[in-house]
Amino acid sequence: MSSKPIHSVPTKDLYARWAAVYDTDGNILQSIDDHLLPTLLDLAFTILPSHQPITITELGAGTGRNTIKLLHRRQGVEVEKINALDLSPEMLALAKTRCTTFKSPTQVEFYEFDALQPSKSPEVQALEGAADLVLSTLVLEHLPLSIFFSTIRTLLKPNGILVMSNMHADMGRLSRAGFMDGENGGGEVKVQGDSFVYEVSEVVGVGREEGFVVVGPLGVVERGVEEGDLDEGVVGSRGRKWVGRKVWFGCVMRLGG
Ligand SMILES: C[S@@+](CC[C@H](N)C(=O)[O-])C[C@H]1O[C@@H](n2cnc3c(N)ncnc32)[C@H](O)[C@@H]1O
């Protein structure tokens, strides 16, 4: 959908370059995710045990855009610890700044971690089976489905909860995670990384094979950009070309049904 030249780079390099503008470049998926994730988190927090403090592990925490939402939660379940994992040290550095400047009783630890090479992060192996909840937003498109779910299964306690979101296949067939880089000296280029397009049915199916079932009254939420989203500022002007097309889906899943 973009007429600009495209540079395909390894995903790690994409985020090394994107980190500086990731939170400010008007990406519509982040905006839609900001709008819809709180409902999924509310649902997950009603399912989680409320009588004991919980641990959350975030797979692909990025700049901490959603980690900070977890720190802001004040009611109900007590979040004792958050483990923020990400491939990109540049993205994680921003998450660290964002979270450590926010006063919270929750302990947050940051780990460089590549889900495609988990053995390179022995310190993350110590987190296996520790999480009551895994949060992973807009990360799945970079990973093979079975690796995504098996990584999360490893991180979760038995019967743990997963809250996930991803780019919708209707958008993924036309676009992929990336940004317009004007810093390359040769004009603007679209920089993008490794990306997979997944239908919702595939995600639910592979999730089931890996032991996860969708829970809660919402099922899998699929969301397009609507005309009203532009009027109400849910998305910025970059959302206009996506009006009428599904761009996002998200759901809550339980390991072990
Ligand atoms: C689109 S960003 C989403 C960041 C954040 N969750 C959010 O919603 O803003 C995708 C993130 O996934 C991370 N990522 C990509 N491949 C990964 C891998 N193999 N292992 C761990 N993290 C990965 C990237 O470094 C990046 O921070």
Side-chain angles (χ1 to χ4, degrees):
M1 233 169 163
S2 166
S3 55
K4 305 275 186 199
I6 293 177
H7 276 187
S8 291
V9 298
T11 301
K12 192 168 183 173
D13 297 351
L14 165 66
Y15 286 101
R17 290 167 68 175
W18 194 358
V21 294
Y22 181 86
D23 289 318
T24 54
D25 70 352
N27 184 290
I28 63 146
L29 265 189
Q30 282 134 251
S31 305
I32 293 281
D33 195 76
D34 279 336
H35 190 58
L36 295 175
L37 188 71
T39 309
L40 296 181
L41 286 177
D42 286 349
L43 172 59
F45 274 69
T46 62
I47 300 169
L48 285 161
S50 57
H51 55 280
Q52 63 200 41
I54 65 157
T55 294
I56 300 176
T57 298
E58 193 175 353
L59 177 63
T63 61
R65 189 177 62 81
N66 288 329
T67 326
I68 197 77
K69 294 190 181 84
L70 299 171
L71 293 181
H72 275 285
R73 294 188 77 88
R74 285 271 176 263
Q75 286 153 346
V77 179
E78 181 192 340
V79 181
E80 185 172 49
K81 191 161 184 233
I82 299 175
N83 303 307
L85 278 46
D86 201 279
L87 174 68
S88 163
E90 292 81 3
M91 297 286 276
L92 265 188
L94 293 167
K96 206 169 190 170
T97 304
R98 186 178 228 155
C99 294
T100 49
T101 49
F102 182 81
K103 275 198 170 36
S104 162
T106 304
Q107 183 193 350
V108 191
E109 304 280 357
F110 301 87
Y111 299 87
E112 263 183 67
F113 173 71
D114 183 352
L116 299 173
Q117 304 183 78
S119 60
K120 289 196 167 174
S121 309
E123 68 285 8
V124 172
Q125 281 164 20
L127 308 179
E128 289 178 2
D132 299 276
L133 170 69
V134 167
L135 175 64
S136 190
T137 56
L138 311 181
V139 177
L140 170 61
E141 77 160 285
H142 296 302
L143 295 172
L145 265 174
S146 58
I147 290 184
F148 176 76
F149 282 112
S150 62
T151 304
I152 291 166
R153 196 180 54 218
T154 307
L155 294 167
L156 276 174
K157 290 178 180 171
N159 298 316
I161 301 294
L162 164 64
V163 174
M164 64 153 300
S165 66
N166 195 42
M167 181 189 282
H168 198 282
D170 288 0
M171 183 182 198
R173 279 187 281 273
L174 300 170
S175 183
R176 59 166 79 177
F179 77 111
M180 299 307 299
D181 189 355
E183 302 290 310
N184 67 96
E188 276 209 321
V189 292
K190 169 142 192 189
V191 184
Q192 60 188 28
D194 305 314
S195 192
F196 300 87
V197 178
Y198 297 125
E199 301 292 340
V200 168
S201 57
E202 275 179 279
V203 175
V204 172
V206 175
R208 196 181 304 117
E209 283 165 23
E210 298 287 340
F212 291 84
V213 291
V214 177
V215 290
L218 304 172
V220 179
V221 182
E222 298 177 65
R223 179 63 147 80
V225 177
E226 296 158 10
E227 196 65 52
D229 291 332
L230 288 136
D231 302 338
E232 290 159 25
V234 174
V235 297
S237 57
R238 286 178 59 191
R240 179 154 309 281
K241 68 179 179 189
W242 297 104
V243 169
R245 194 179 292 278
K246 287 183 183 151
V247 295
W248 181 98
F249 72 91
C251 63
V252 178
M253 291 179 159
R254 187 196 285 280
L255 178 59

